[in-house]
Amino acid sequence: MLNIFTLANGRLVQEEIESLEELARFQPIWVDLESPTLEEKRWIKQHYGLSIPEDAMDEDIEESARFYEEDNGELHIRSDFLVDVYDKPRSARVAFILNLVNDELKSKGVLFSIHDESIPVFRLLRMRARRAPGLIDDAKEVLLSLFDTDAEYSADTLEGIYDDLELVSTQVLAGSVTDARASEVLSAIARQEDLNGRIRRNVMDTRRAVSFMMRSKMLNAEQFEEARQILRDIESLDSHTAFLFDKINFLMDATVGFININQNKIIKIFSVASVALLPPTLIASVYGMNFKFMPELEWHYGYPYVLALMVASAVGPMLYFRKRGWLK
């Protein structure tokens, strides 16, 4: 899918392009390629003179090749964005290409973004830019706004993690936790820990991208200050993710503690049962001896007497343990 965005009355207007002729009719500031076909890449090449690298969206690209500037003045930024936070959290790689200095190419002043799937942050920015005139001025502002929206999206997701952990905390700290409930709690905690870790990695990646834009001296004074504000927001997110990691570890330890308590209860019951059965076992062992001279061997009531004695010797310790509260 090939979408272009133009400025009209200070608002970002989206157009879906289906041919090279349609592409030539517009003067966009942002060209977004979602899972682009070879034909769409060819249109970009023919009209803008821009070649999209084959490894633009590779996940295993070297870190040193994620932020760089080509000899022709093109800035290349590869950054990660969160996708499907509430279903299957993961990070999606987006490649940005921006030409600000090469007047020979029609791509000057146009931001190109290439990605394999729909990005929630992109949708949020498009909605805001359509409703708020003056939010976007140029291609650099689009890129900065994407990173700013990404930081806000991460902050909203962190708030969701905190709310979910509050529910888990209520379940864990309410009192007795069964093994089935503990399994559900551990699964929920593990999911929130994974999501929190992805957010921390995501904001770290965003920090590096914004820092690269600031070092490249491509921003004007107002945009530079906006970039600094984004970095300050990211710093606050780092502190919040660290707090959530501590809370997750506490809930994890508390849940594992309840599991250990439940296991100890089971072991305690087996231990008490073993101790209570020792006297009957001793009595049975005594009368299981095949000595010739044992008075009770010839006694008519010897068998029921021994059975009663074994029951009494088992019930007595159980009553004692119950009185001491060891069976709870």
Side-chain angles (χ1 to χ4, degrees):
M1 183 182 299
L2 176 58
N3 292 305
I4 65 171
F5 298 86
T6 60
L7 282 178
N9 298 322
R11 289 183 171 87
L12 204 60
V13 179
Q14 178 178 350
E15 300 287 346
E16 186 172 340
I17 302 301
E18 297 183 355
S19 67
L20 178 60
E21 290 72 20
E22 290 185 6
L23 182 63
R25 288 169 40 205
F26 297 96
Q27 295 293 329
I29 63 170
W30 180 18
V31 177
D32 184 47
L33 297 96
E34 179 181 335
S35 299
T37 63
L38 293 177
E39 186 178 23
E40 289 171 342
K41 291 181 179 179
R42 180 173 54 83
W43 295 345
I44 297 298
K45 174 68 174 178
Q46 291 181 0
H47 184 69
Y48 293 104
L50 178 71
S51 297
I52 299 176
E54 294 296 330
D55 63 347
M57 293 164 287
D58 285 356
E59 294 292 335
D60 57 350
I61 190 171
E62 294 181 3
E63 295 297 319
S64 59
R66 294 183 62 182
F67 311 98
Y68 63 94
E69 182 176 358
E70 291 280 11
D71 294 336
N72 61 2
E74 291 177 354
L75 294 176
H76 290 252
I77 298 176
R78 291 171 172 84
S79 188
D80 295 332
F81 291 82
L82 289 175
V83 179
D84 282 349
V85 171
Y86 301 104
D87 184 17
K88 185 180 178 182
R90 61 188 185 278
S91 297
R93 176 64 52 82
V94 180
F96 296 103
I97 303 176
L98 180 59
N99 170 29
L100 296 173
V101 297
N102 195 338
D103 296 325
E104 298 178 359
L105 298 177
K106 293 182 180 180
S107 61
K108 182 181 179 182
V110 180
L111 174 67
F112 296 86
S113 57
I114 307 97
H115 48 99
D116 286 329
E117 55 186 312
S118 178
I119 308 295
V121 170
F122 284 37
R123 296 195 299 268
L124 289 174
L125 178 63
R126 291 198 294 263
M127 292 174 57
R128 291 180 179 179
R130 282 198 299 265
R131 298 174 181 175
L135 180 64
I136 302 295
D137 295 325
D138 54 23
K140 295 180 294 182
E141 197 71 42
V142 172
L143 188 55
L144 267 182
S145 297
L146 283 173
F147 290 133
D148 186 24
T149 306
D150 182 47
E152 293 183 15
Y153 185 74
S154 297
D156 292 340
T157 306
L158 287 175
E159 291 180 2
I161 293 176
Y162 184 82
D163 293 338
D164 291 341
L165 289 178
E166 281 296 301
L167 296 177
V168 173
S169 178
T170 301
Q171 295 175 347
V172 172
L173 303 180
S176 178
V177 178
T178 63
D179 289 346
R181 177 60 61 84
S183 178
E184 296 175 0
V185 168
L186 287 176
S187 178
I189 292 175
R191 182 183 182 278
Q192 301 306 325
E193 193 277 339
D194 175 70
L195 181 55
N196 192 47
R198 291 182 181 277
I199 292 175
R200 191 176 183 88
R201 179 184 180 277
N202 181 69
V203 296
M204 179 186 70
D205 188 80
T206 302
R207 178 194 291 114
R208 293 181 61 199
V210 174
S211 297
F212 173 76
M213 294 178 65
M214 297 172 70
R215 292 194 307 269
S216 64
K217 300 180 181 180
M218 57 182 284
L219 306 176
N220 58 36
E222 183 178 352
Q223 292 169 342
F224 192 87
E225 182 57 33
E226 182 179 351
R228 292 181 61 184
Q229 181 59 48
I230 295 174
L231 293 181
R232 286 193 290 267
D233 292 340
I234 290 175
E235 289 293 334
S236 65
L237 293 181
D238 283 340
S239 301
H240 199 59
T241 55
F243 163 75
L244 289 178
F245 273 128
D246 291 338
K247 187 175 183 65
I248 288 170
N249 289 332
F250 166 74
L251 292 176
M252 185 76 73
D253 292 340
T255 305
V256 172
F258 277 113
I259 294 176
N260 292 333
I261 290 174
N262 293 337
Q263 292 177 345
N264 290 337
K265 288 180 179 179
I266 297 174
I267 298 300
K268 182 176 68 174
I269 292 175
F270 279 112
S271 300
V272 169
S274 300
V275 172
L277 292 176
L278 282 177
T281 303
L282 177 61
I283 295 172
S285 300
V286 170
Y287 286 99
M289 298 177 184
N290 294 321
F291 291 114
K292 184 176 181 180
F293 299 102
M294 295 185 70
E296 292 84 358
L297 290 179
E298 301 296 332
W299 187 24
H300 181 72
Y301 297 102
Y303 179 67
Y305 166 74
V306 171
L307 290 180
L309 184 60
M310 293 171 65
V311 171
S313 65
V315 172
M318 293 296 291
L319 293 176
Y320 176 76
F321 294 152
R322 183 177 180 182
K323 183 178 180 180
R324 296 296 300 269
W326 295 350
L327 297 178
K328 295 181 180 179

